[in-house]
Amino acid sequence: MQQIKKAAVLGSGVMGSGIAAHLANIGIPTLLLDIAPRELTDAEKAKGLTLEDKAVRNRISEGNRQKLLKQKPAPLTSKKNIALVEAGNFEDDMERLKDVDWIIEVVVENLAIKKQVFEKVDQSRKPGSIVSSNTSGISVEAMSEGRSKDFQEHFLGTHFFNPPRYLKLLEVIPTKNTSPEVLSFMKQFGEDVLGKGVVEAKDTPNFIANRIGTYGLLVTVQEMLKGGYSIGEVDSITGPLIGRPKSATFRTLDVVGLDTFIHVANNVYDQVDGKEKEVFEVPGFMKVMQEKGWLGSKSGQGFFLKKGKEILELNPESLEYGPRKKLKTASTELSKQEKGTPAKLKTLVYSDDRAGQLLWNILSPALLYSAQLLGEIADDVTAIDKAMKWGFGWEMGPFETWDAIGVGKSVQKMEDAGEEVPAWVKDMLEKGFDSFYKEEEGKQYFYHNGEYRLIGENPKAINLKHLKKQKGVIKKNTGASFIDLGDGVALLEFHSQSNAIGLDIIQMINFAVDEVEKNYKGLVIGNQGKNFCVGANLGMILMEAQDDNIYELDMVVRQFQNAMMKIKYSAKPVVAAPFGMTLGGGAEVCLPAAHIQASSETYMGLVEVGVGLIPGGSGNKELYIKHLENMPNGVEFDLQKVANKVFESIAMAKVSTSGEEARDNNFLNLADGISVNGDHLLYDAKQAVLALHKKGYKPPVRKKVPVVGETGYATLLLGAQAMVYSGYISEHDLKIAKKLAYVIAGGKVPYGTEVDEQYLLDLEREAFLSLVAEPKSQQRMQHMLLKGKPLRN
């Protein structure tokens, strides 16, 4: 039975160290190797070191290991994970490969060098260990030539996308000798343990995503030059407007690095011919940019240049920078009124203005190219679509895009323009199939060789949209829906704007807990929006505050607090499943739950101070209790230190950069879970409910809470006052800090007094309402709603 308990990464550059970090994040100890230096640095000479010293020999890999702590975005989910990455070098540590279960090669993209590395690996590895290459385009088959039979059976390509922690795609490329068991194991391991979206690709230049993505980018550049569009104009319509990332075309190239992009494009250019070769020829101005070192973000300038606060765009003809332009036409304005990307796209591509022409001219070749490559780079349309969505962040893959604009209508337009449409697409239309995908009774099918085939659903990837079509919704209002997840578990799904909490969601929480106590084993609170929940409905709070409806607000806050207590003391287990932004009220919903099953990418924090308030829905109390519960039993601890830590966390509006860090910040405790694969989050949360039910879940017993009282309050304020005197915070910040300190300290009681939870809730609510009425807090709320960032007043 194959298992991966320990790994080695050969090559410690950005990609190699990033893969090592991702393995460390999931708890796999990893050896990170690189070459041993040939000469000493001045600093090493000054220390009297020689080329034989370990510190010198491991300098390259150790240096890259240390960089993991400083890189942005952070490759590590928690800095302490660095302890699982150990640096070494190719000369001294190759024999240590006999102790590892998976060896990943990430050296320079050169076949001869890779083959030399694999020759050494073959001599050092233990039989049965998996070996893979993270190549982005060199033939995997060619790399394994001449290696032992056991090596070849356990060898394949595993192409991660950069940065490995954040990009979901993992292309797995078997050779003709890869054992089917090894391939099947790696696909499952990739999904379940690495948390990836795994796609099997064929051993062709650049595999799937880079082949189509690079083609699409080059077609876009050529179309821009031909149609006289500017770089900024292209980016303004090739981003979110058509379901692509905000970085659109040229900003993406700046992030990736022009040198990397040209290398990937040349890789295809060298291996194809005819019309395809012409597309992969990199335009002249981009080669000049590379010579000048204008490679994008890493060199400080590329297609864009930041001057002060202004972002300038490059003119590809003069190679000078000027103001950034946007393409605004009748169709772009019209498309903004449409709901959903498919409708927006349809409006754009069939319009005859400049935006419509550009989009048609870049989309139609990419769709045709994807169809031509079917069978050559991947077995079916789903693999190509998934690769583009997971690797390039597209909302829809090429074939889903084609469905969105209408296959029949677009094929007609392509043929009218003299384009050659692949025979299988025309055959599909002739047989009466008018789309690549169809849905029946909540099940998804894809077109393949003259028939629709069911898309195999992974039971761990619960899709709420499909589930609701299959099972229906038990109850819903504007803010949330109550759904049966099966096996006696219910789900409360938020779906208000930004999943912000208002009275509608509070009503549904009350209904859900009551219903679950009567008829279910437990409840999951989760959804599949962009973020779990960005907090309470700030617009509603501000409106009521400006109208002086403090009585109304008092009622809403009481209801919110009561709903949180209902979650906490529910007779059946409630499991919260946060992911993405889980801020303010979103964090308050999670804290009282019986169990939190967080996604690895959960950004959790109580951030109300940023809008001139403090948490009002039990967040202060629950975070304080969470800290107390994380203290070891029977060990004396300093209550003041606990209060200080909670005060700091809320006063500084600290937000975790991962689920792991949310645990470090005590928003999660040791028993709470973290799902590495976000697609499995609801499944894992459901399993947590079933496990708690099976153990005979009992709600927590109401206990009194020890507080630091008046003396503790004075201590908490010392730091805040010092910050006012040194000009770090404003007088209004101090006013907020005083209210927060008073709530966390538990008011005017002696140190160590044990108080009731309701007493703390009342303090919290009173402080919240007094701040809501402050004009300066209202200014902060308004600023956040209008500008999306905090105001310091």
Side-chain angles (χ1 to χ4, degrees), residues 1 25 49 98 112 130-131 395 418 423 449 466 512 594 692 784 790-791:
M1 170 89 175
N25 290 338
L49 295 171
K98 68 179 184 302
I130 291 173
V131 186
E395 191 184 313
N449 290 344
H466 298 166
L692 287 167
M784 178 59 81
L791 169 72

Side-chain angles (χ1 to χ4, degrees), residues 461-465 493-494 499 526-531 579 678-679 682:
I462 294 170
N463 183 314
L464 288 185
K465 218 162 77 186
E493 175 199 22
F494 296 174
N499 289 340
N527 63 73
Q528 290 175 333
K530 197 172 164 204
N531 294 297
F579 62 94
D679 290 348
L682 291 180

Side-chain angles (χ1 to χ4, degrees), residues 215 349 358-370 402 405 410 414 419:
Y215 181 91
V349 296
L358 175 65
L359 280 176
W360 174 262
N361 291 343
I362 61 185
L363 270 182
S364 78
L367 301 181
L368 290 168
Y369 187 62
S370 303
W402 211 335
I405 64 171
S410 57
M414 288 164 180
E419 296 294 343

Side-chain angles (χ1 to χ4, degrees), residues 345-592:
L345 258 181
K346 221 171 186 165
T347 303
L348 287 159
V349 296
Y350 293 119
S351 117
D352 212 22
D353 59 22
R354 284 190 79 218
Q357 287 172 356
L358 175 65
L359 280 176
W360 174 262
N361 291 343
I362 61 185
L363 270 182
S364 78
L367 301 181
L368 290 168
Y369 187 62
S370 303
Q372 282 155 10
L373 289 175
L374 188 74
E376 183 188 325
I377 62 170
D379 282 330
D380 60 57
V381 295
T382 65
I384 291 177
D385 279 349
K386 283 175 180 169
M388 297 318 297
K389 290 193 288 189
W390 291 335
F392 277 75
W394 293 8
E395 191 184 313
M396 300 183 293
F399 296 100
E400 290 168 324
T401 300
W402 211 335
D403 275 354
I405 64 171
V407 184
K409 186 177 178 182
S410 57
V411 163
Q412 188 62 58
K413 187 170 174 176
M414 288 164 180
E415 290 192 312
D416 289 348
E419 296 294 343
E420 198 181 319
V421 177
W424 73 268
V425 176
K426 294 204 299 200
D427 183 54
M428 174 181 104
L429 290 169
E430 277 159 22
K431 285 184 171 146
F433 300 111
D434 59 359
S435 63
F436 297 103
Y437 293 94
K438 73 165 184 174
E439 194 177 310
E440 269 175 18
E441 292 162 4
K443 290 197 159 108
Q444 296 281 101
Y445 297 83
F446 68 98
Y447 177 81
H448 191 74
N449 290 344
E451 60 176 6
Y452 282 116
R453 293 188 184 177
L454 184 65
I455 295 177
E457 293 273 322
N458 180 336
K460 288 185 182 175
I462 294 170
N463 183 314
L464 288 185
K465 218 162 77 186
H466 298 166
L467 186 74
K468 286 190 281 191
K469 280 180 183 161
Q470 284 163 15
K471 289 193 164 192
V473 172
I474 296 166
K475 184 179 165 86
K476 73 180 281 193
N477 65 17
T478 48
S481 291
F482 184 75
I483 304 158
D484 187 341
L485 268 187
D487 301 319
V489 180
L491 172 86
L492 181 64
E493 175 199 22
F494 296 174
H495 46 59
S496 59
Q497 195 176 348
S498 302
N499 289 340
I501 297 169
L503 274 171
D504 47 4
I505 284 182
I506 295 171
Q507 283 164 2
M508 284 299 288
I509 290 173
N510 289 323
F511 168 81
V513 175
D514 287 343
E515 187 62 24
V516 163
E517 285 188 330
K518 283 190 243 140
N519 299 316
Y520 290 86
K521 294 174 182 173
L523 176 70
V524 172
I525 300 178
N527 63 73
Q528 290 175 333
K530 197 172 164 204
N531 294 297
F532 176 74
C533 171
V534 297
N537 184 336
L538 194 60
M540 181 270 291
I541 295 170
L542 178 62
M543 204 165 68
E544 296 289 2
Q546 287 174 334
D547 290 347
D548 261 347
N549 283 341
I550 300 301
Y551 175 75
E552 289 280 322
L553 276 173
D554 180 59
M555 186 195 74
V556 174
V557 178
R558 275 175 202 271
Q559 286 189 17
F560 189 18
Q561 289 184 343
N562 292 342
M564 296 307 99
M565 292 292 270
K566 200 163 181 139
I567 287 173
K568 182 169 187 172
Y569 293 108
S570 161
K572 301 284 178 71
V574 176
V575 172
F579 62 94
M581 307 268 219
T582 304
L583 306 174
E588 287 182 303
V589 168
C590 298
L591 287 167

Side-chain angles (χ1 to χ4, degrees), residues 461-746:
I462 294 170
N463 183 314
L464 288 185
K465 218 162 77 186
H466 298 166
L467 186 74
K468 286 190 281 191
K469 280 180 183 161
Q470 284 163 15
K471 289 193 164 192
V473 172
I474 296 166
K475 184 179 165 86
K476 73 180 281 193
N477 65 17
T478 48
S481 291
F482 184 75
I483 304 158
D484 187 341
L485 268 187
D487 301 319
V489 180
L491 172 86
L492 181 64
E493 175 199 22
F494 296 174
H495 46 59
S496 59
Q497 195 176 348
S498 302
N499 289 340
I501 297 169
L503 274 171
D504 47 4
I505 284 182
I506 295 171
Q507 283 164 2
M508 284 299 288
I509 290 173
N510 289 323
F511 168 81
V513 175
D514 287 343
E515 187 62 24
V516 163
E517 285 188 330
K518 283 190 243 140
N519 299 316
Y520 290 86
K521 294 174 182 173
L523 176 70
V524 172
I525 300 178
N527 63 73
Q528 290 175 333
K530 197 172 164 204
N531 294 297
F532 176 74
C533 171
V534 297
N537 184 336
L538 194 60
M540 181 270 291
I541 295 170
L542 178 62
M543 204 165 68
E544 296 289 2
Q546 287 174 334
D547 290 347
D548 261 347
N549 283 341
I550 300 301
Y551 175 75
E552 289 280 322
L553 276 173
D554 180 59
M555 186 195 74
V556 174
V557 178
R558 275 175 202 271
Q559 286 189 17
F560 189 18
Q561 289 184 343
N562 292 342
M564 296 307 99
M565 292 292 270
K566 200 163 181 139
I567 287 173
K568 182 169 187 172
Y569 293 108
S570 161
K572 301 284 178 71
V574 176
V575 172
F579 62 94
M581 307 268 219
T582 304
L583 306 174
E588 287 182 303
V589 168
C590 298
L591 287 167
H595 179 89
I596 299 174
Q597 183 68 37
S599 160
S600 186
E601 297 304 326
T602 300
Y603 316 121
M604 190 183 258
L606 294 166
V607 295
E608 287 83 350
V609 168
V611 288
L613 304 172
I614 68 164
S618 82
N620 309 285
K621 165 183 75 84
E622 288 299 338
L623 187 61
Y624 180 64
I625 291 173
K626 205 88 159 161
H627 274 70
L628 290 178
E629 284 172 349
N630 281 343
M631 292 292 161
N633 273 340
V635 175
E636 281 225 8
F637 59 87
D638 185 344
L639 200 55
Q640 184 68 50
K641 281 186 176 163
V642 176
N644 293 353
K645 201 163 176 224
V646 176
F647 175 76
E648 187 187 312
S649 181
I650 300 172
M652 312 278 283
K654 281 186 180 173
V655 177
S656 71
T657 59
S658 65
E660 198 61 55
E661 201 176 90
R663 198 189 320 266
D664 295 344
N665 297 349
N666 278 330
F667 278 83
L668 272 63
N669 59 31
L670 284 172
D672 291 327
I674 293 175
S675 298
V676 183
N677 192 326
D679 290 348
H680 298 178
L681 179 62
L682 291 180
Y683 172 86
D684 294 342
K686 177 181 163 180
Q687 298 312 306
V689 168
L690 293 170
L692 287 167
H693 170 77
K694 200 174 169 190
K695 279 186 202 154
Y697 177 76
K698 295 276 183 295
V701 176
R702 287 179 191 249
K703 289 198 291 248
K704 293 205 163 186
V705 184
V707 293
V708 292
E710 275 191 283
T711 53
Y713 170 67
T715 308
L716 289 174
L717 275 190
L718 276 174
Q721 270 156 339
M723 286 174 90
V724 174
Y725 298 140
S726 54
Y728 277 118
I729 62 173
S730 68
E731 285 293 339
H732 190 57
D733 289 324
L734 181 63
K735 187 176 270 188
I736 299 164
K738 279 182 174 171
K739 300 272 186 195
L740 177 63
Y742 191 77
V743 170
I744 286 166

Side-chain angles (χ1 to χ4, degrees), residues 31-40 44 47-63 65 85-96:
L31 188 59
L32 182 63
L33 305 185
D34 214 311
I35 54 175
R38 293 278 166 262
E39 47 193 55
L40 295 168
E44 286 164 345
K47 284 183 190 163
L49 295 171
T50 72
L51 284 172
E52 297 312 305
D53 283 301
K54 199 171 178 187
V56 175
R57 296 181 73 71
N58 291 348
R59 182 212 315 144
I60 295 170
S61 55
E62 180 56 36
R65 176 181 171 270
V85 180
E86 188 190 347
N89 68 76
F90 290 148
E91 288 169 29
D92 305 334
D93 298 299
M94 283 309 260
E95 84 284 351
R96 293 178 65 190

